[in-house]
């Protein structure tokens, strides 16, 4: 799903369907009429439901003050009161049309003339909490729990009545000096989905969703703003972060004094970091340097020695070769650098269906779909 950011109220979500057998991209366009889309999050339990964070304008009356008001009045001039427009970021839950849920896709030529509208299920009311930064669904749940980050507040919502109503079940506020504000967050798939990680300024914090209390804090995780976070899907204490210091860092949340590993391959802000869902040694990053980098962080993966093989299945020669391989030092490396983009890469994502497929999106609206190199794929599998 790709969202647009137009200043006019004709923003859209494009549902992109990649047919890898025929190498064809199909799309359907859904109207998102409430404003610019800044964040999209799909429900893990219902493929037709999604959450968005979006901008909308809010007008406030402004009193104009003139020192020479009496003179203007004497000359018979009219003075009009204007309005200041303040942009606020809101969040809502939507349902796409039924025919799109079933995987029905038009050809690219037909899709533009068959634009449909998203059905609003409910708003996540942030009136008392501030601007929404992102929404996060409970990873392994039934699609009824969602967390939103609004300025310095963490809000846990229960979706009821077929997601048509959102009830705020608990919340927590970030306390400290200055104007504290969350930039991003991630819900951990481990620990029975009772933990989330958040980023604010240069700090990464862990929270327990049952008590809404902080359980760890990584102060100065990056030298500048932290942009994104992701949990290793196979190792429960491992977390990746990236930021404006051009670095990607990997943390063990049991000991946060130093990162386990640091990548310094980008030359500008790193906007996104993503673990592969199946093979956690594969790390995807996107940056304002217009590049997407695929790295192989095998030494801190769940399979640092490759797939384990039963000794009974190995011949003497194979067993000796296996022992030699284990003795070899593990090599973390950059697998490939993709330079198809001509502008800042603001988003990268792995396919949830095909572990070897990924997409990236840049500021100029270019969407690029790529594959993990075949040689590496077979090296991992074999």
């Amino acid at each position: 799903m790709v969202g647009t950011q137009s200043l006019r109220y004709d923003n859209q979500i494009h549902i992109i369907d990649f047919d890898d057998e025929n190498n064809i991209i199909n799309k359907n366009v859904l109207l998102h009429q409430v404003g610019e889309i800044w964040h999209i999050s799909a429900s893990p339990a219902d493929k037709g439901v999604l959450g968005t964070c979006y901008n909308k304008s809010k007008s406030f009356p402004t009193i104009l003050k003139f020192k020479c008001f009496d003179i203007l009045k004497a000359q018979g001039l009219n003075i009009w009161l204007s309005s200041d427009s303040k942009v606020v970021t809101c969040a809502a839950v939507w349902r796409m049309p039924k025919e799109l849920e079933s995987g029905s896709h038009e050809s690219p030529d037909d899709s533009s003339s068959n634009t449909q509208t998203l059905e609003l299920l409910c708003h996540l009311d942030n009136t008392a909490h501030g601007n929404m930064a992102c929404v996060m669904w409970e990873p392994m749940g039934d699609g009824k729990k969602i967390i939103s980050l609004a300025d310095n507040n963490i809000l846990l919502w229960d979706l009821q009545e077929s997601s048509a109503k959102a009830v705020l079940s608990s919340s927590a506020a970030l306390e400290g000096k200055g104007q504290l504000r969350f930039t991003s967050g991630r819900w951990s798939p481990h620990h029975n989905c009772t933990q989330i990680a958040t980023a604010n300024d240069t700090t990464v914090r862990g929270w327990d969703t049952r008590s809404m209390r902080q359980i760890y804090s990584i102060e100065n995780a990056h030298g500048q703003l932290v942009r994104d976070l992701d949990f290793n899907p196979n190792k429960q204490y491992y977390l990746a972060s990236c930021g404006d210091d051009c670095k990607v860092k990997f943390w063990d949340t049991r000991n946060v004094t130093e990162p386990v590993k640091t990548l310094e391959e980008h030359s500008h802000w790193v906007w996104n970091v993503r673990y592969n869902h199946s093979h956690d040694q594969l790390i995807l990053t996107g940056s304002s340097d217009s590049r997407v980098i695929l790295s192989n962080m095998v030494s801190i993966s769940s399979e640092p020695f490759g797939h384990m093989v039963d000794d009974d299945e190995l011949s003497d020669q194979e067993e000796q070769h296996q022992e030699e391989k284990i003795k070899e030092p593990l090599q973390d490396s950059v697998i490939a650098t993709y330079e198809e983009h001509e502008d800042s890469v603001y988003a990268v994502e792995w396919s949830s269906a095909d572990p070897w497929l990924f997409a990236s999106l840049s500021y100029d609206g270019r969407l690029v779909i790529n594959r993990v190199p075949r040689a590496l794929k077979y090296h991992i599998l074999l």
Side-chain angles (χ1 to χ4, degrees):
M1 295 184 292
V2 180
T4 66
Q5 292 182 344
S6 170
L7 292 177
R8 296 170 298 171
Y9 289 106
D10 58 352
N11 283 283
Q12 304 167 343
I13 288 181
H14 291 224
I15 309 296
I16 308 296
D17 178 57
F18 178 58
D19 178 356
D20 60 342
E21 289 186 6
N22 301 304
N23 219 34
I24 295 173
I25 292 178
N26 299 318
K27 74 172 182 180
N28 280 278
V29 179
L30 299 174
L31 287 180
H32 183 277
Q33 295 174 313
V34 289
E36 301 169 78
I37 303 163
W38 286 90
H39 187 257
I40 304 177
S41 184
S43 167
D46 189 335
K47 60 185 178 181
V49 174
L50 60 138
T52 63
C53 292
Y54 59 89
N55 280 0
K56 75 172 184 179
S57 295
K58 192 173 182 180
S59 295
F60 298 94
T62 303
I63 298 174
L64 300 181
K65 294 181 179 179
F66 291 94
K67 291 181 181 178
C68 54
F69 179 78
D70 290 336
I71 300 172
L72 292 169
K73 185 179 179 183
Q75 293 177 348
L77 298 177
N78 292 322
I79 298 175
W80 297 93
L81 295 182
S82 69
S83 293
D84 274 351
S85 284
K86 183 183 179 183
V87 175
V88 293
T89 308
C90 306
V93 178
W94 311 85
R95 180 176 290 281
M96 64 178 69
K98 288 288 184 186
E99 54 268 29
L100 295 188
E101 291 182 42
S102 61
S104 167
H105 293 274
E106 306 289 338
S107 68
D109 295 333
D110 298 336
S111 61
S112 58
S113 60
N114 191 28
T115 304
Q116 301 179 71
T117 304
L118 286 165
E119 176 194 353
L120 175 64
L121 294 180
C122 65
H123 288 286
L124 303 180
D125 183 18
N126 64 325
T127 309
H129 302 101
N131 289 308
M132 294 287 192
C134 66
V135 292
M136 302 173 278
W137 297 85
E138 185 180 24
M140 308 297 180
D142 57 2
K144 297 301 180 186
K145 284 188 178 180
I146 190 169
I147 281 178
S148 62
L149 300 180
D151 280 351
N152 66 328
N153 295 284
I154 302 173
L155 310 174
L156 176 59
W157 305 87
D158 280 332
L159 299 181
Q160 301 174 351
E161 301 169 17
S162 300
S163 301
K165 183 180 180 183
V167 176
L168 184 61
S169 61
S170 59
S171 63
L174 187 60
E175 297 177 353
K177 296 179 180 179
Q179 285 190 320
L180 299 172
R181 187 171 297 170
F182 290 116
T183 51
S184 64
R186 205 74 174 166
W187 199 322
S188 171
H190 309 294
H191 312 287
N192 293 320
C193 298
T194 59
Q195 294 185 13
I196 64 166
T198 61
N200 69 285
D201 198 25
T202 61
T203 303
V204 175
R205 302 174 196 272
W207 304 80
D208 189 318
T209 59
R210 295 165 296 186
S211 62
M212 285 308 227
R213 291 183 178 176
Q214 188 174 298
I215 51 178
Y216 60 83
S217 177
I218 310 174
E219 304 288 339
N220 298 313
H222 288 263
Q224 298 180 50
L225 185 71
V226 180
R227 291 278 176 186
D228 196 25
L229 305 165
D230 199 22
F231 282 97
N232 185 316
N234 300 330
K235 295 184 76 175
Q236 61 179 336
Y237 295 105
Y238 277 67
L239 172 72
S241 63
C242 63
D244 286 1
D245 58 0
C246 315
K247 297 177 182 178
V248 180
K249 295 185 179 182
F250 301 89
W251 306 91
D252 183 336
T253 58
R254 295 166 296 184
N255 180 14
V256 295
T257 53
E258 290 289 336
V260 179
K261 286 278 182 179
T262 301
L263 279 176
E264 301 184 51
E265 300 297 333
H266 286 288
S267 59
H268 208 267
W269 305 342
V270 186
W271 282 83
N272 261 155
V273 57
R274 288 290 180 269
Y275 276 101
N276 186 287
H277 305 303
S278 302
H279 307 285
D280 57 83
Q281 66 264 51
L282 300 179
I283 307 293
L284 205 56
T285 54
S287 165
S288 296
D289 63 10
S290 306
R291 297 184 301 162
V292 175
I293 293 180
L294 176 62
S295 302
N296 188 20
M297 302 301 292
V298 62
S299 70
I300 55 173
S301 72
S302 59
E303 294 179 347
F305 304 108
H307 288 283
M308 304 308 289
V309 182
D310 194 333
D311 292 341
D312 296 337
E313 297 176 9
L314 293 173
S315 65
D316 291 341
Q317 188 175 358
E318 287 174 330
E319 193 169 342
Q320 183 180 354
H321 179 63
Q322 189 79 0
E323 288 176 0
E324 289 173 359
K325 280 183 69 178
I326 290 175
K327 291 175 185 176
E328 292 175 8
L330 300 170
Q331 296 294 322
D332 297 333
S333 61
V334 170
I335 299 161
T337 300
Y338 301 89
E339 301 186 354
E340 294 96 338
H341 292 284
E342 297 176 1
D343 216 324
S344 297
V345 179
Y346 284 151
V348 292
E349 287 290 352
W350 290 98
S351 163
S352 57
D354 183 344
W356 312 109
L357 195 69
F358 60 90
S360 53
L361 182 69
S362 53
Y363 177 72
D364 55 6
R366 178 177 293 184
L367 176 74
V368 177
I369 297 174
N370 270 306
R371 284 190 169 279
V372 173
R374 185 172 294 182
L376 177 68
K377 173 183 174 180
Y378 290 128
H379 179 77
I380 291 173
L381 292 176
L382 304 175

